[in-house]
Structure formats: C-alpha cells, structure tokens
Amino acid sequence: MNITNICCIGAGYVGGPTMSVIAQQCPDIRVTIVDINEARIAAWNSDDLSELPVYEPGLAGVVAEARGRNLFFSTDVDRAIDEAQMVFISVNTPTKTYGKGRGMAADLKYIELCARQIAAVAKDDKIIVEKSTLPVRTADALKSILHNTGNGVNFHILSNPEFLAEGTAVADLHNPDRVLIGGEHPEAVEALVSIYGRWVDRSRILTTNLWSSELSKLTANAFLAQRVSSINAISELCEKTGANVDEVARAIGTDSRIGPKFLKASVGFGGSCFQKDILNLVYIARSYGLQEVADYWEQVIIMNDHQKRRFADNIVQTLYNTVSGKKIVFYGWAFKKDTNDTRESAAIYVADALLAEEAEITVYDPKVPAGQVYRDLDYLGTRSPEENRRLVTVVGDPYEAAGDAHAIAVLTEWDEFRTYDWKRIREHMMKPAFVFDGRKILAANKLDQIGFQYYEVGAG
Ligand code: UDX
Ligand code: ADP
C-alpha cells in the first residue's frame, strides 16, 4: 500500500503538531488536518505564525515549511475523509461528566461520531488509525461501527498512540524514543511503519497487537504519573525531616535501575493526560472486578490532589492563617513550561483553594491569555463568573503584578522566572515578602539574601 493522501480528524495539541511533522518529513504525502472548530482551523491557517492555536517551540517553523505545500487545514471533514487512504482519529477523549462512569471513564462520543462519519463518507477501502488515547478494546467498537455500514468498504484499524510531551512536542516527534503501532492486518501496519520509517530508525518502531498498543499508552502515562506522585510523597516527608527532595532525587536517580528523569517534586502534575488516563485505567480495572489493581493506581491521583491542596494550605498557614483580602501573585498558569495548555493545571486548583479563603489573585503567565484563566476557573463552577473576575486579575507584566502583593507563588517552571530582578520585585511588595516556589526553580540562597521569606516544595 503506497500512501499518498492522509487525513487527520482533530486539529488539537496532538493532531496539529503530529501531522505537521509527518507533512514536513514526507513532502510527497498530502496531509489534511480537519476540525469542526472553525476558529481553530482559521488560527492554524493564520498568516501570523504567532497566532497558531498551539504554542510549541519549533512548531511555527515546521508549519511554515509544509503549509500550502502538502499540509492543509480545513473544516471540510467529509471531503478530506473521502480523499484519504489513511484517516487518523485525533479527537478529544475527556473524562465522562455524566452517567455511568462519570468522573472516571473516557467519554468516547467524539470517537464514535468520527467513526460514523467515516462510515457514511467512505467509498473505498481505508486504514483508520487511532491516535487519541483510548480505553483497551476501543478498536472493537470502531470496527463494529465501520464494518456494519453495508457499503462494501473495507477498513483496517491500527492503534498508534502518541507519546509526545507538550512543550517538547516537535523534538519528541522528530526523535521519538519509540513509535508504537498495533494492528492485525500486516499490510496496513507496514503502510504506517513506512511513513514513520522516513525519519525514525526501524529499530524504534515497535509493532504489537491492537490491545497491547492501546493498553501500553495508558500504562506509560500511569507509570510516569506514579513517579511524580512518588517523589511528591517523599517531598512532604522532606519538609518534616530537614531532608531536601532534590538531593534525595539525585541520590536515587543515579541508580541506573531507577534513572534520573521524572523525579522533580512539584506542586502536582497537570495536563490533559495523566489524570484522565489513570482514572480510565482505574475504571477499566474495576469493571473487570480487579479492586486491588484499581485501588493501587487510584492512589497516584489521591496523592496528586493532596500535593496541590497542601501547597495552598501552606500559603494560608504561613501568611498568619489568613489570606482574606491579601494579594497573592501567581507566576505561571500553564500546566508546565513552554506550552499554552492549561488543562488540569495545578494552578487552577491552588487558585480555587485560595479563593475559597477570600484571597485576591493576580496571574502572570507568558503564554496563557486572560480569557483562558477565567474559562478554567468558571469551568470548576465553584463561584460565579462575576466573582472570578472580581477576585482574579490577569496582567501582562511580572513586575507590575508584584506591586502590593503579600506573596508570590511559582506555579509553572517557565525559564524566564529565574532571570527576573527579584530585588526589584521585592521592593514593591508588602513586607515580609513571601515566595512559595512550587517548582523549585529559584535560587533559595539568593532569595534569602534579598530578604524574601522563601518556601519551596520538599525542603525543610
Ligand atoms: C505526558 C507524557 O509525558 C507523554 O508521553 C504523553 O504522550 C502525554 O502525557 P505531558 O502531559 O504533555 O505528557 O507532559 P509531562 O512532561 O509528562 O508532564 C506532565 C505533568 O507532570 C506536568 O504538570 C509536569 O510539570 C509534571 N511533572 C513532570 C512533575 O511535576 N515532575 C516531573 O519530574 C515531571
Ligand atoms: P488533544 O490534546 O487530544 O489533541 P484537543 O482538545 O486539543 O485534544 O483537540 C481535539 C480536537 O478534535 C478539537 O479541536 C475538536 O474540535 C476536534 N474534534 C472533536 N470531534 C470532532 C469531529 N467529530 N470532527 C472533527 N473534529 C473534531
């Protein structure tokens, strides 16, 4: 099978960067990314590359190289499906907010809509690729919908989960640790292998059966999140005992069996994947009656919620047990640096806890616009949109943000925070001036010298 025309349904944080890199690496393949969200497609087509809907280092360059050559963004979903030999499904699979499995299971309604649309439009055989993270055996549901259309078209289903991390998406796509392709039909698998094979060494392209591929994605995210919760659990013990969690992380990370990565204690993990995928894993385990397996993984989430909560509690306690009417500045709102994505960001939950104590919050984030901060808080439904706008201010200048503040809380590890003139920041703050470093990125000694009361996660 020689693939010359690909379509991807869903132009989000996964579909956008992934397909842009495929187009960049395969100039002879026409790649069309479609989405029902017109504003999003317009932004992907914007002449001003700083307007792209996803911020990722290096992404604008990739889009500039391929867009209009063999990379296209469109809202004409039917046409793109019709013309493609291979259709990637990269739509959102959020946690269900209603009915059975509410708050745990993945909501597959967007996936099912895609399958039905493909079934309705397709006139010739196609390879369908699951790119979104999905519960194990979703491919069964896809197969069932696609194969029961009665129009004689054959569909081969592949699972090709994406392991890129936001903030390093382009580098991860250019040089992945591995590409995983699950499928039953050897020719279909080979068709996708040969696409990645243009720039990824074959030894790094793993092929498995469909179910292993689906489950591996959930398992990878669960293991990664578990490491963060493990080191965060130790961080609380460090604060009580005078140990420093960075030193502990270094000491254990040099053991080659443990390894040094993903041992950075923090205010808690966020992002669209970790919580959603673990909840999904827990739900699947429970649905098979595997209570101990479910409880085991659920603890990773319980620990993460605790870490966010105790960061907020520590701010309240340290500020003499009241933050009512006090201005607290958040440096960072995104769930990690180098992205404008705020989904499940720890900042949202820390803000919610402090607002419950009647704090006034001023937010500065280099990439997150004010509208997103308010949408995130409104979505929680804890207080009215008017109340959120009254209590929370979003500013575009970090120094202006600090004026008359009682405390600064670092919620995202943006590099620029390290380079600020912290002496100047302190001058305009209330005294004593507090810094709560939820990312452990500032120099404790330097801030002490300047006169800050400096607190960091995982240090006594
Ligand atoms: C993750 C997986 O890494 C990726 O393979 C998968 O495809 C999608 O989910 P992502 O959520 O984009 O990627 O970012 P990641 O770098 O994994 O960070 C997730 C969260 O954990 C962030 O909030 C980050 O700040 C936090 N984290 C990560 C820590 O607190 N400490 C660490 O040591 C590592
Ligand atoms: P992810 O992080 O998984 O990429 P996003 O929410 O960023 O998730 O992107 C998913 C995209 O899929 C959204 O832009 C959404 O509009 C799009 N989408 C969802 N359902 C459909 C559909 N049936 N047809 C086309 N696009 C869809």
Side-chain angles (χ1 to χ4, degrees):
M1 278 184 225
N2 184 29
I3 304 294
T4 54
N5 198 317
I6 289 177
C7 148
C8 172
I9 307 178
Y13 282 90
V14 174
T18 310
M19 293 299 135
S20 297
V21 166
I22 290 183
Q24 181 200 34
Q25 300 294 332
C26 311
D28 54 318
I29 300 180
R30 186 184 168 93
V31 179
T32 307
I33 311 180
V34 291
D35 203 295
I36 39 178
N37 182 335
E38 285 179 19
R40 212 165 211 189
I41 290 299
W44 280 112
N45 280 322
S46 169
D47 290 332
D48 179 355
L49 290 169
S50 69
E51 298 277 309
L52 295 184
V54 171
Y55 171 72
E56 279 291 339
L59 179 62
V62 174
V63 172
E65 186 183 334
R67 198 177 60 184
R69 178 188 72 186
N70 64 322
L71 174 65
F72 303 92
F73 295 90
S74 163
T75 52
D76 193 344
V77 182
D78 282 355
R79 181 170 165 194
I81 294 172
D82 180 31
E83 291 175 352
Q85 299 145 301
M86 186 180 267
V87 180
F88 287 77
I89 303 183
S90 192
V91 300
N92 33 336
T93 50
T95 305
K96 263 185 99 176
T97 53
Y98 55 88
K100 194 159 178 277
R102 173 171 188 242
M104 300 291 289
D107 191 341
L108 298 179
K109 75 175 169 207
Y110 305 105
I111 296 280
E112 177 167 345
L113 282 171
C114 281
R116 290 189 183 281
Q117 193 162 4
I118 295 168
V121 169
K123 298 199 267 307
D124 51 11
D125 296 355
K126 294 189 194 304
I127 298 173
I128 310 300
V129 187
E130 299 176 346
K131 197 70 179 155
S132 316
T133 305
L134 296 168
V136 197
R137 299 207 76 90
T138 303
D140 259 349
L142 278 181
K143 258 190 232 167
S144 168
I145 294 167
L146 291 168
H147 289 162
N148 284 298
T149 55
N151 55 3
V153 173
N154 288 313
F155 296 100
H156 299 300
I157 295 165
L158 302 178
S159 160
N160 171 221
E162 185 47 62
F163 294 102
L164 68 81
E166 288 178 30
T168 52
V170 174
D172 293 345
L173 287 162
H174 280 154
N175 191 20
D177 284 349
R178 79 317 206 174
V179 168
L180 180 59
I181 300 172
E184 289 161 344
H185 190 271
E187 276 181 49
V189 171
E190 182 50 35
L192 188 52
V193 168
S194 71
I195 291 175
Y196 285 108
R198 311 274 190 105
W199 77 97
V200 179
D201 195 89
R202 294 269 171 150
S203 64
R204 292 190 177 206
I205 304 179
L206 314 183
T207 55
T208 64
N209 77 29
L210 269 172
W211 325 120
S212 302
S213 173
E214 288 181 339
L215 185 58
S216 297
K217 172 65 186 184
L218 292 180
T219 307
N221 277 343
F223 268 60
L224 290 169
Q226 182 199 41
R227 273 175 81 94
V228 178
S229 274
S230 295
I231 200 70
N232 281 344
I234 298 301
S235 78
E236 189 170 12
L237 205 52
C238 287
E239 289 166 30
K240 299 288 178 220
T241 57
N244 184 310
V245 75
D246 279 344
E247 291 180 353
V248 174
R250 188 154 53 94
I252 64 166
T254 42
D255 183 326
S256 61
R257 293 167 303 176
I258 296 175
K261 292 182 184 167
F262 254 75
L263 287 179
K264 186 78 184 164
S266 69
V267 55
F269 61 74
S272 70
C273 289
F274 282 179
Q275 173 158 316
K276 180 188 78 173
D277 289 352
I278 292 181
L279 288 173
N280 193 350
L281 195 64
V282 170
Y283 183 76
I284 294 169
R286 277 212 180 110
S287 69
Y288 285 110
L290 309 180
Q291 199 55 40
E292 291 77 8
V293 176
D295 291 349
Y296 177 77
W297 287 107
E298 192 164 37
Q299 199 60 36
V300 174
I301 302 289
I302 293 171
M303 187 64 224
N304 195 50
D305 288 341
H306 172 66
Q307 189 77 350
K308 293 181 273 189
R309 182 79 224 182
R310 76 180 189 86
F311 185 78
D313 288 348
N314 182 40
I315 294 178
V316 178
Q317 264 168 32
T318 310
L319 296 185
Y320 317 106
N321 285 315
T322 175
V323 289
S324 177
K326 289 181 181 169
K327 176 174 171 182
I328 299 178
V329 175
F330 277 27
Y331 278 178
W333 189 263
F335 82 97
K336 63 187 280 197
K337 73 171 180 179
D338 292 337
T339 178
N340 60 345
D341 194 350
T342 64
R343 287 177 289 180
E344 292 300 330
S345 180
I348 302 169
Y349 298 94
V350 173
D352 193 46
L354 294 174
L355 291 172
E357 294 291 329
E358 300 184 343
E360 290 172 16
I361 296 178
T362 296
V363 178
Y364 166 75
D365 186 289
K367 288 289 173 198
V368 179
Q372 188 59 47
V373 173
Y374 293 125
R375 269 194 296 282
D376 291 337
L377 289 169
D378 293 348
Y379 184 75
L380 291 179
T382 315
R383 56 194 68 73
S384 69
E386 295 73 39
E387 196 69 350
N388 283 330
R389 279 147 193 79
R390 187 176 69 76
L391 293 171
V392 180
T393 311
V394 183
V395 297
D397 181 277
Y399 294 95
E400 181 201 322
D404 293 330
H406 286 262
I408 293 176
V410 178
L411 274 304
T412 312
E413 73 281 23
W414 287 102
D415 290 333
E416 65 173 63
F417 298 160
R418 299 174 201 262
T419 65
Y420 288 172
D421 180 348
W422 283 91
K423 197 156 177 277
R424 181 177 152 206
I425 289 173
R426 182 175 173 276
E427 274 161 19
H428 299 284
M429 290 176 65
M430 305 295 282
K431 308 294 176 324
F434 294 89
V435 170
F436 297 90
D437 189 348
R439 295 295 186 161
K440 303 174 72 60
I441 55 165
L442 303 175
N445 294 348
K446 205 174 117 196
L447 267 79
D448 280 344
Q449 261 169 25
I450 293 172
F452 278 107
Q453 306 280 322
Y454 177 75
Y455 293 82
E456 60 180 315
V457 169

